[in-house]
Structure formats: structure tokens, C-alpha cells
């Protein structure tokens, strides 16, 4: 691994990884965490904490989750933290719907950029057949994730879990044939977070396009 990109004190880099449940956000984020040394704030930490007090379909759960995310990111921008990796499942985060998710994302981004920080939006997606396999992976139960494809379809019926952020440029990566570690390398190169060796260059056929 090469050297970390130099950032001025107080200027945090936020790498926001989003996509449907089961696409591999947490697995990729953990690989990226190990390669960059950035802190990882994944969605299940927030959701599980709010669920201690409120059921997931309660408005109070959504409100608390939003507050926790924004407060954590705000405090991170004030501290000498070079980077933060955040995972987010559009349309599946809470009961308030996709518009509330978009509002929250804009607030998160604005919070970082208000402190002259840098934000990278990373969308992960894969084929329907591959997503079906990943959803039912038994390891997902450890984190209380959706493990039933039927349940995933019920959520997808009521919300656009495959939504794409369009209010600012981002990067899309097709992970259908990609393992988490190579995906993390692609994210590193696209964001310029770490100077990687030439052997880390994405192979032909990998999709990582700026929107």
C-alpha cells in the first residue's frame, strides 16, 4: 500500500458508500477501512442503537437515527480525523422514505463541506441473480441484516432501494463479479485517497464511471 494523501488538519474526507441491501457495502467498507486507516461508521451501528429504544418502523427511530448520524459526522469534522467511511442504504434506512434519505444525505455532505472537507459518493450495484445469493448469506444474520429475499422484495416494492443520487457527481461500481478487496482498491484510486501500485489498476470490464 502506498502513502496516504495529505490533508490539512480539520479537513476530513468522507467516503459515502450506498446501494441496496445485500450488495456488499459493509464488506467493501471494511476492506477500505483496513487499507486507508479511516474510521468506519456503518449503518447498522446507528440502526441497532436506535432500535434499543424504538421499533424500526417508528418515526422516533428515524428521527434519532438522523440525529446520531449528523452529530457523529459533525463531531468528526471538528476533530483531527483524516477520513470517515459511511455506509447507507437508500430507501431502506427508515420509515420516512427516499426523500427523507436524500435530505439526510445532503445534510451530511453539507456538514463536511462546511469545514472544507471532501466528499466522495460511491454507489455499489450488482445483478439481480447475484443480489439474491448475497441476501440469503447466513453471515448476514450476525448483524441483524435482511436475510430473506422475499423480505427484500417487500421493501423494494414500497421504496426505490436502487435509487441513484443525482444531485451531485458520484462513482458507480458493478460488484457482480468483484470481491470486496478489489472493489476497495477501485474506490481508493477513484477517490485518490491512497497512492496505489500500478498492479492495482482496475482490469478491463470493471465498471466505475463518474456520473
Amino acid at each position: 500500500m502506498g502513502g496516504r494523501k495529505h490533508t490539512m488538519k480539520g479537513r476530513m474526507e468522507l467516503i459515502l458508500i450506498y446501494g441496496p441491501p445485500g450488495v456488499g457495502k459493509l464488506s467493501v467498507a471494511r476492506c477500505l477501512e483496513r487499507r486507508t486507516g479511516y474510521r468506519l461508521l456503518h449503518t447498522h451501528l446507528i440502526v441497532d442503537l436506535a432500535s434499543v429504544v424504538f421499533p424500526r418502523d417508528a418515526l422516533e427511530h428515524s428521527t434519532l437515527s438522523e440525529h446520531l448520524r449528523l452529530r457523529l459526522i459533525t463531531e468528526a469534522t471538528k476533530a483531527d480525523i483524516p477520513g470517515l467511511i459511511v455506509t447507507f442504504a437508500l430507501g431502506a434506512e427508515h420509515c420516512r422514505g427516499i426523500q427523507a434519505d436524500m435530505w439526510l444525505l445532503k445534510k451530511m455532505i453539507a456538514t463536511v463541506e462546511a469545514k472544507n472537507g471532501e466528499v466522495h459518493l460511491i454507489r455499489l450495484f450488482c445483478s439481480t441473480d447475484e443480489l439474491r445469493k448475497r441476501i440469503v448469506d447466513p453471515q448476514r444474520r450476525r448483524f441483524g441484516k435482511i436475510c430473506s429475499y422475499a423480505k427484500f422484495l417487500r421493501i423494494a416494492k414500497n421504496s426505490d432501494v436502487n435509487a441513484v443520487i443525482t444531485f451531485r457527481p458520484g462513482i458507480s461500481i458493478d460488484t457482480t463479479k468483484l470481491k470486496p478487496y478489489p472493489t476497495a482498491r477501485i474506490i481508493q484510486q477513484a477517490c485518490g485517497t491512497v497512492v496505489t501500485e500500478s498492479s492495482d489498476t482496475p482490469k478491463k470490464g470493471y465498471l466505475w464511471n463518474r456520473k
Side-chain angles (χ1 to χ4, degrees):
M1 185 176 72
R4 182 179 298 165
K5 180 176 67 178
H6 293 290
T7 56
M8 294 179 62
K9 184 175 181 179
R11 294 186 61 179
M12 188 181 76
E13 184 173 28
L14 174 66
I15 300 177
L16 198 155
I17 302 174
Y18 74 99
V23 77
K25 298 181 294 296
L26 181 54
S27 296
V28 171
R30 281 184 166 154
C31 290
L32 195 59
E33 176 190 28
R34 289 194 293 269
R35 289 179 61 86
T36 62
Y38 285 1
R39 306 291 176 85
L40 171 58
L41 175 61
H42 63 82
T43 187
H44 302 287
L45 291 173
I46 302 296
V47 170
D48 291 349
L49 181 57
S51 297
V52 171
V53 183
F54 302 110
R56 288 197 60 168
D57 59 351
L59 180 60
E60 293 85 353
H61 186 286
S62 299
T63 303
L64 180 57
S65 296
E66 291 173 355
H67 176 77
L68 288 170
R69 278 194 179 89
L70 288 174
R71 184 58 184 271
L72 284 166
I73 291 174
T74 297
E75 294 304 318
T77 62
K78 296 177 182 178
D80 189 17
I81 296 176
L84 188 65
I85 303 164
V86 175
T87 64
F88 200 92
L90 280 174
E93 288 290 318
H94 47 60
C95 65
R96 293 175 60 185
I98 192 71
Q99 294 305 316
D101 284 345
M102 291 296 184
W103 174 87
L104 177 57
L105 288 172
K106 289 179 181 179
K107 290 287 289 184
M108 292 162 59
I109 293 169
T111 297
V112 175
E113 294 185 333
K115 295 291 186 178
N116 295 316
E118 188 175 1
V119 179
H120 304 283
L121 299 181
I122 311 294
R123 170 182 169 246
L124 303 184
F125 67 98
C126 66
S127 69
T128 301
D129 288 343
E130 182 62 23
L131 186 63
R132 186 193 301 267
K133 296 175 185 176
R134 296 179 185 179
I135 285 284
V136 299
D137 188 329
Q139 295 186 31
R140 292 175 57 81
R141 296 186 183 279
R142 291 188 301 161
F143 300 99
K145 298 180 179 182
I146 298 171
C147 298
S148 163
Y149 193 66
K151 183 176 181 179
F152 168 79
L153 290 177
R154 287 196 298 271
I155 294 174
K157 182 179 180 180
N158 298 315
S159 184
D160 187 5
V161 296
N162 293 304
V164 179
I165 296 172
T166 58
F167 59 81
R168 65 178 292 139
I171 298 164
S172 291
I173 304 174
D174 184 350
T175 67
T176 302
K177 296 181 180 180
L178 278 176
K179 296 293 185 181
Y181 202 74
T183 304
R185 290 203 306 265
I186 293 173
I187 293 172
Q188 280 184 300
Q189 288 187 292
C191 296
T193 303
V194 173
V195 179
T196 53
E197 297 82 3
S198 59
S199 60
D200 282 341
T201 303
K203 296 181 177 62
K204 184 178 180 180
Y206 289 1
L207 175 61
W208 54 298
N209 298 323
R210 288 195 175 275
K211 295 295 184 182

